[in-house]
Amino acid sequence: MRKKTLYLWLLAAISIPGVAQVPSGKADTTDVPRMLDEVAITGYSPATRRQYTGAVSTIPGNAINNIPMASFDQLLQGRAAGLYVASGSGQPGAAARVLIRGQATYGGSVSPLYVVDGIAVESGVFMSMNPADFESVTVLKDANATALYGSRGANGVIVINTKRGKAGDISLRFNTQHGFSQVARRHFDMMNSEERLRFEEEVGQETGRTLGAGWIFSPLNPANAALPAATQTRYAAILDSMRRINTDWQDQFLRRAAPYHEYELSASGGSESIRFYSSASYLKQEGIVKRSGLERYSFRTNLDVRAKRFSAAINTAVGYTNNDLIESENTSSGPNPIAALYYALPYEAPYVNGVLMHNGNKNQLGGAFDTREGSNALERMENSTYRVNQLKGLINTDLKYYFTDWLYASSNLGFDYRENVETRTIRPGSYSGSQDFVPGKQGMHREEMIRYYQFTATTGLTFDRTLQEKHRLTVGAFYEFNRIKYSNMSVTGYGITPGLDGTLSGVTPGSALNSFIPQVGGRKTGSALISLVGLARYLYDDKYSLNVSYRRDGSSSLPEKNRWHGFYSVGAGYDVGKESFMEGLSWINTLRVRSSYGSSAAPSAQNFAYAAGYSASRYDGSPAIVPTSTGNAEFNWEYTNTFNTGLDIELLNRRIRLVADWYNRSTKGLFLEEQLSQTSGFSSRPINAGTVRNRGVEADISGDIIRNKDLTWTAGFNIAYNKNRVMDLGGTNEFTAGTYILRVGLPVNSHYVVKWGGVDPQTGKAFYYDREGKPTSNYNVATQSVADFGSAEPRYNGGFYTRLNWKGFTADVFFTYAQDFLRYNSIEVYTLNTNSFAASNQSRRWLDRWRKPGDVTDIPSFSDTRNFTSRDLQDASYVRLRNARLSYNIPAQILKPTQFLRQATVYLQGQNLLTFTKWDGLDPEDNNGNAFFEYPSPRTITAGVSIQF
């Protein structure tokens, strides 16, 4: 008996991080949720895990509610095994890159399908939606789960169910939180004034080049040797004053504490016949970069009506955002404040007697001995705007009529609408407004309106009945119609009348004489999809389950010969724990195995890639139509087949829970561009060729380390390992795209670059390796690039957490991680360079450069040519403290005298608090494998209160 107890204690300790405790007696599990009784929302028909054989992960709404982030997709990071979320920008409201089980395409979309209350919505557009309205988020991963969505399900499906009212007295809930955001990681290793001036002087001595004032006024400069003593004294005074400037450009471009405010009010209640949930919220978040920020208003009402044989759910949501953006993010352009943060010289003083000195007024203000890159960017920031106003609406009705208790007809009609109004202005009379890129040099105003809507109608019949107490059968048949339309129109005007900037009314009518010819543009596109869907689920004796589905899609985005296609899935599950031979193993509460296989597909990002394209032009002064694309009458979907096998386990009175899956996912007919002869008049045409395989393992483990009346300590983690591999490329073995290669046998997004060899200690010149691995001083991208550096996609990712509840106090700590991948740090191409970029500020790493024979260093001589190599690849693996929260539920006896407060909680939380990484930059997280002056993710700290009336 003692050995058995010790064995159980060790098992718990190994399975869960921390110290495990097993109660001496049999625990009361009456209120412990049972894994197989959880409901997996699949979009067409709900089912418990006992009935369902697909691979799904459910994220409860309380895991993402009230987290201080404006775009809900970023909140999913680390929450589900196999779900990889990477933020490409820390700008408030920016969307994230979301992958489910790896990248299975090259030229197509990688985004999963998003479904809200049964209605498909646009991916990547979430800043106008309030995550506090979400009851749960379900991630559908395998073919059994996604085949129901046919040609839209190959990248996985994320199903969102919003909150609904419950029968009973009306309940009001008010939540508010306030705090601030700041730069999460101040890893900014640029030269200060002393270092920069010394660097300029040393480079002048070493090469004779003039980088700036440090050499111009240096006493070591031969040009200054014969100058009068008074002049040399003045030069020394200039250098001394410049050394004392040391402008902190982070203070100039970034906010030390960007305010965050959020208010939410919701009401719910009703009777058994009519229930409602309504909410309104307001969020205002200033960005950590000046001039950026987001303001959001959101409203939602969900109404449920139930009669004897009829039920209806009517869901409406409206969101409106004002989003102020920075200039030229993710580019090397000087107006990009993130780039200017690196470029600006530390000895540049931006203001003279309170006036910003830039290249347009520096002569009037006495001149400057610097490039004014920082001040020019500040001037652009002050005299331009970039705003996106977004209106987003969701409405759907879910109607059901019950012919009997086990047979009902359903109809779900929904509409997803978005309107963006984007405005950009450069004020007339400003330095920026008088530049050459502004026709007429008198300011600019641009407006673009984008309209998107998606209509979905799903009608069907569902049979759901238990026969002879052992046979649970669910059969459904549905007809679905999906229609998407997109349009945009834009106008850019010049010659802005002072005082009327910011509106089109300030634009001067253009003519051939005044150079104010406006630019206009626009486009329209759309697609339609018709689908027939069938599903069947059978559960025998709560032990054996079988799932089958079939869907036939017809899409307007394909030529007629490939327009219709069928997709299927089949899955089986076996609850081993219900067998009689398991009765002696009382410590195993659940042991279930499941497996599935099926097909799905992904549509092209282009609605008419198969058709030849034409556009308007001019010929000999007359209107004309010219061909722009060849089309391809054989164009098709990317088809995906997935096999999945999984295991569900609960141990020790359900104290330990494990969900594990192994999958093999093969995508055929990749969207590629076939290169054509230039004599054809076209450079390429779209084709389907090649195969990509994603194979991996996922595990989600959680457990209660301590569980008693006053204290509960829960911990868990999830991990996903994905091995991506190109299996076939049709008629070729490889092709390159910049610094990446698509090659059979390698992962998608494999790095392809010349291998860095180091620095020759005798000459100070860089050397490289050729394809045979031999060192060489030659550099040739075409003949020396190799693919020895892995991929930009992490091989491992996931999250882990711990939660402690004690007498009303709750402490939550949540980490996310991504491991085993490299990113290009392209910022160093500009901050560790010898060409014209060296006139801008440079990295401190230059201080360790080679100077004389015998120096051992990894930084070449300044006179050596700077080339792009594997030296610019860096390990971007990270572990991030994503969220930490401490809350306290005020005891009911304290609230009772108020006679109106039912519940009150106060809390303090931090988002993105710590990052552990080797990455040499502000933020290791990225959505494209290339660091290029992106807006870094902020750290946000808030305090709040949630009150229920």
Side-chain angles (χ1 to χ4, degrees):
M1 184 68 180
R2 183 175 300 172
K3 290 182 177 179
K4 181 178 180 181
T5 302
L6 178 61
Y7 168 72
L8 295 180
W9 190 94
L10 290 173
L11 179 63
I14 293 171
S15 300
I16 308 175
V19 179
Q21 294 186 7
V22 176
S24 56
K26 185 175 181 179
D28 180 10
T29 60
T30 303
D31 297 325
V32 178
R34 287 165 168 77
M35 177 188 294
L36 298 187
D37 292 331
E38 294 176 358
V39 176
I41 305 297
T42 63
Y44 287 91
S45 174
T48 64
R49 285 185 178 271
R50 193 182 305 278
Q51 298 171 275
Y52 198 58
T53 61
V56 300
S57 293
T58 300
I59 304 168
N62 58 18
I64 59 175
N65 293 167
N66 303 324
I67 303 297
M69 296 194 76
S71 186
F72 106 92
D73 50 356
Q74 295 197 33
L75 301 178
L76 302 180
Q77 188 179 88
R79 297 289 181 181
L83 179 68
Y84 174 56
V85 180
S87 172
S89 173
Q91 182 138 310
R97 178 174 182 252
V98 179
L99 282 178
I100 298 177
R101 292 185 166 180
Q103 181 171 330
T105 184
Y106 185 77
S109 171
V110 299
S111 296
L113 173 69
Y114 291 86
V115 177
V116 178
D117 291 330
I119 297 300
V121 301
E122 186 180 15
S123 65
V125 183
F126 305 112
M127 67 180 178
S128 297
M129 301 170 68
N130 182 14
D133 291 331
F134 297 169
E135 183 69 28
S136 66
V137 177
T138 304
V139 183
L140 310 182
K141 297 180 282 190
D142 73 329
N144 209 180
T146 64
L148 281 170
Y149 295 91
S151 61
R152 299 182 295 167
N155 295 324
V157 182
I158 295 180
V159 178
I160 301 166
N161 266 32
T162 59
K163 292 179 178 178
R164 319 211 66 79
K166 297 179 176 58
D169 293 339
I170 294 178
S171 172
L172 295 175
R173 183 177 292 275
F174 175 71
N175 177 77
T176 184
Q177 58 178 322
H178 306 269
F180 60 90
S181 300
Q182 57 187 199
V183 176
R185 188 168 182 261
R186 290 187 174 271
H187 195 80
F188 188 72
D189 197 26
M190 303 297 289
M191 293 181 186
N192 60 30
S193 293
E194 172 66 33
E195 293 165 338
R196 173 67 195 191
L197 290 168
R198 187 173 70 248
F199 173 69
E200 291 173 355
E201 183 179 61
E202 291 173 349
V203 168
Q205 288 180 284
E206 295 167 11
T207 67
R209 283 183 58 184
T210 300
L211 295 183
W215 182 238
I216 293 173
F217 302 112
S218 170
L220 303 179
N221 188 338
N224 299 332
L227 292 176
T231 302
Q232 294 188 16
T233 300
R234 183 167 64 87
Y235 281 10
I238 291 173
L239 291 175
D240 186 58
S241 66
M242 296 178 78
R243 290 188 186 97
R244 292 197 299 267
I245 292 176
N246 270 319
T247 299
D248 187 344
W249 289 103
Q250 294 189 73
D251 277 345
Q252 297 296 324
F253 291 107
L254 308 179
R255 296 183 174 111
R256 290 283 179 174
Y260 179 97
H261 304 285
E262 186 174 15
Y263 304 88
E264 296 171 347
L265 178 65
S266 64
S268 65
S271 64
E272 293 296 336
S273 299
I274 300 178
R275 294 173 287 116
F276 77 95
Y277 168 85
S278 291
S279 71
S281 72
Y282 171 76
L283 179 149
K284 186 172 184 180
Q285 181 179 8
E286 300 290 343
I288 58 173
V289 182
K290 292 179 180 178
R291 206 192 79 175
S292 66
L294 179 139
E295 188 176 27
R296 180 179 71 200
Y297 305 83
S298 66
F299 308 90
R300 172 173 286 277
T301 294
N302 292 345
L303 182 66
D304 293 280
V305 179
R306 182 69 186 261
K308 184 177 181 181
R309 293 186 178 274
F310 174 79
S311 70
I314 303 172
N315 310 306
T316 59
V318 177
Y320 180 78
T321 57
N322 295 318
N323 198 0
D324 288 307
L325 308 174
I326 66 172
E327 294 288 324
S328 307
E329 185 187 359
N330 199 25
T331 72
S332 59
S333 173
N336 177 2
I338 304 300
L341 186 66
Y342 287 88
Y343 296 161
L345 293 169
Y347 54 72
E348 175 190 336
Y351 295 93
V352 176
N353 297 325
V355 178
L356 179 65
M357 179 195 286
H358 48 77
N359 280 344
N361 66 2
K362 68 179 181 181
N363 292 332
Q364 294 89 329
L365 294 175
F369 304 112
D370 52 63
T371 56
R372 293 284 111 182
E373 288 182 276
S375 298
N376 290 343
L378 287 175
E379 192 276 340
R380 178 65 174 270
M381 182 182 288
E382 292 177 359
N383 288 288
S384 63
T385 61
Y386 179 17
R387 169 170 287 191
V388 176
N389 296 335
Q390 183 180 106
L391 174 66
K392 187 171 181 65
L394 292 172
I395 182 170
N396 77 291
T397 59
D398 187 5
L399 310 176
K400 290 186 175 67
Y401 183 80
Y402 292 81
F403 301 102
T404 67
D405 292 340
W406 42 267
L407 181 66
Y408 65 88
S410 61
S411 180
N412 196 342
L413 309 176
F415 191 74
D416 172 25
Y417 176 81
R418 171 175 64 92
E419 180 179 283
N420 276 20
V421 177
E422 178 182 307
T423 60
R424 293 174 180 259
T425 64
I426 301 179
R427 293 188 181 94
S430 66
Y431 171 65
S432 295
S434 62
Q435 296 301 293
D436 290 338
F437 68 88
V438 180
K441 300 183 180 182
Q442 294 182 28
M444 180 206 80
H445 180 78
R446 172 184 170 84
E447 289 192 13
E448 180 175 13
M449 178 176 287
I450 298 172
R451 286 197 178 103
Y452 169 96
Y453 81 75
Q454 181 172 190
F455 172 75
T456 305
T458 306
T459 303
L461 195 65
T462 302
F463 171 94
D464 188 354
R465 191 173 187 182
T466 300
L467 306 172
Q468 298 179 355
E469 298 183 354
K470 285 191 175 184
H471 306 273
R472 174 75 181 273
L473 180 63
T474 302
V475 179
F478 306 90
Y479 169 84
E480 185 170 273
F481 174 75
N482 178 264
R483 183 76 167 97
I484 295 175
K485 283 190 175 182
Y486 172 94
S487 66
N488 80 308
M489 53 184 176
S490 63
V491 58
T492 305
Y494 308 99
I496 309 301
T497 302
L500 295 179
D501 49 294
T503 69
L504 287 173
S505 60
V507 173
T508 299
S511 69
L513 298 177
N514 64 17
S515 302
F516 296 145
I517 304 296
Q519 298 179 7
V520 296
R523 62 186 288 257
K524 286 187 177 182
T525 187
S527 64
L529 181 73
I530 294 176
S531 308
L532 301 173
V533 184
L535 65 88
R537 287 194 297 268
Y538 173 67
L539 178 65
Y540 173 71
D541 199 22
D542 280 347
K543 187 188 303 183
Y544 305 100
S545 55
L546 177 67
N547 291 184
V548 178
S549 71
Y550 181 80
R551 175 172 177 137
R552 186 163 178 81
D553 281 348
S555 172
S556 66
S557 63
L558 294 175
E560 289 188 18
K561 64 181 301 183
N562 296 325
R563 186 156 291 172
W564 287 91
H565 200 278
F567 307 94
Y568 68 93
S569 73
V570 59
Y574 173 35
D575 193 347
V576 183
K578 290 236 172 193
E579 295 291 358
S580 58
F581 60 77
M582 296 293 293
E583 293 179 359
L585 302 175
S586 60
W587 55 279
I588 301 179
N589 307 110
T590 299
L591 177 59
R592 182 173 183 258
V593 294
R594 50 189 164 72
S595 190
S596 66
Y597 181 80
S599 63
S600 56
S604 169
Q606 305 175 55
N607 289 327
F608 302 101
Y610 69 92
Y614 300 86
S615 67
S617 184
R618 306 287 291 182
Y619 181 76
D620 196 22
S622 300
I625 297 292
V626 298
T628 56
S629 61
T630 63
N632 182 356
E634 304 296 323
F635 202 59
N636 211 331
W637 281 304
E638 286 182 337
Y639 293 100
T640 296
N641 295 316
T642 304
F643 173 77
N644 188 94
T645 185
L647 184 68
D648 304 324
I649 299 176
E650 290 178 299
L651 305 173
L652 304 177
N653 293 322
R654 309 187 194 283
R655 296 173 68 92
I656 303 172
R657 299 167 288 276
L658 166 66
V659 177
D661 286 274
W662 180 89
Y663 61 88
N664 188 76
R665 176 185 174 203
S666 179
T667 300
K668 299 181 179 180
L670 303 181
F671 296 130
L672 301 177
E673 289 292 324
E674 181 184 31
Q675 300 304 304
L676 300 177
S677 169
Q678 294 298 319
T679 58
S680 67
F682 303 95
S683 59
S684 64
R685 70 166 187 154
I687 62 169
N688 299 94
T691 303
V692 168
R693 185 187 71 191
N694 283 277
R695 179 180 288 176
V697 179
E698 300 166 355
D700 194 327
I701 303 174
S702 63
D704 302 327
I705 301 171
I706 300 174
R707 187 174 68 206
N708 56 43
K709 181 180 179 181
D710 294 325
L711 178 64
T712 302
W713 181 15
T714 302
F717 70 90
N718 68 74
I719 184 171
Y721 165 78
N722 182 73
K723 187 175 182 179
N724 179 281
R725 186 177 182 182
V726 178
M727 307 300 293
D728 174 59
L729 286 175
T732 185
N733 185 60
E734 65 180 43
F735 66 87
T736 60
T739 56
Y740 294 93
I741 189 169
L742 198 66
R743 175 186 288 174
V744 173
L746 295 180
V748 173
N749 296 328
S750 289
H751 300 295
Y752 189 65
V753 69
V754 175
K755 189 172 183 179
W756 168 258
V759 178
D760 187 329
Q762 299 306 312
T763 65
K765 293 185 177 298
F767 67 92
Y768 318 95
Y769 290 103
D770 62 20
R771 288 177 176 167
E772 285 70 42
K774 298 177 182 178
T776 176
S777 59
N778 296 324
Y779 176 86
N780 188 300
V781 172
T783 62
Q784 292 175 233
S785 293
V786 292
D788 299 342
F789 316 106
S791 170
E793 306 296 335
R795 190 169 294 187
Y796 307 89
N797 74 280
F800 54 96
Y801 73 94
T802 184
R803 178 180 300 118
L804 188 68
N805 294 284
W806 178 72
K807 294 185 177 181
F809 288 95
T810 301
D812 288 275
V813 179
F814 177 58
F815 289 84
T816 62
Y817 64 90
Q819 299 289 309
D820 197 10
F821 67 111
L822 301 176
R823 289 175 60 201
Y824 289 110
N825 190 348
S826 295
I827 293 175
E828 289 196 349
V829 173
Y830 298 84
T831 63
L832 202 63
N833 211 312
T834 61
N835 59 20
S836 59
F837 299 130
S840 305
N841 199 18
Q842 294 286 289
S843 168
R844 278 197 177 99
R845 294 179 63 192
W846 269 126
L847 305 180
D848 297 324
R849 68 189 180 280
W850 184 95
R851 301 165 191 255
K852 63 182 186 304
D855 283 351
V856 178
T857 177
D858 63 344
I859 306 298
S861 163
F862 187 81
S863 61
D864 194 35
T865 302
R866 172 62 153 96
N867 291 309
F868 194 80
T869 68
S870 62
R871 168 195 186 191
D872 298 297
L873 280 170
Q874 294 182 6
D875 186 355
S877 302
Y878 66 87
V879 175
R880 174 164 276 170
L881 176 52
R882 193 69 173 176
N883 186 268
R885 177 184 172 108
L886 178 64
S887 62
Y888 177 64
N889 291 324
I890 299 175
Q893 57 268 29
I894 296 178
L895 301 177
K896 189 174 182 180
T898 66
Q899 298 184 352
F900 66 90
L901 288 179
R902 299 184 185 180
Q903 185 181 6
T905 303
V906 293
Y907 58 89
L908 175 68
Q909 68 177 322
Q911 182 76 3
N912 199 16
L913 291 173
L914 294 171
T915 303
F916 306 94
T917 182
K918 296 178 181 178
W919 177 257
D920 186 20
L922 293 175
D923 193 351
E925 195 175 334
D926 182 49
N927 65 352
N928 62 6
N930 187 16
F932 203 55
F933 302 111
E934 299 100 335
Y935 196 124
S937 296
R939 174 191 296 121
T940 304
I941 297 173
T942 61
V945 58
S946 179
I947 303 172
Q948 183 178 357
F949 302 93

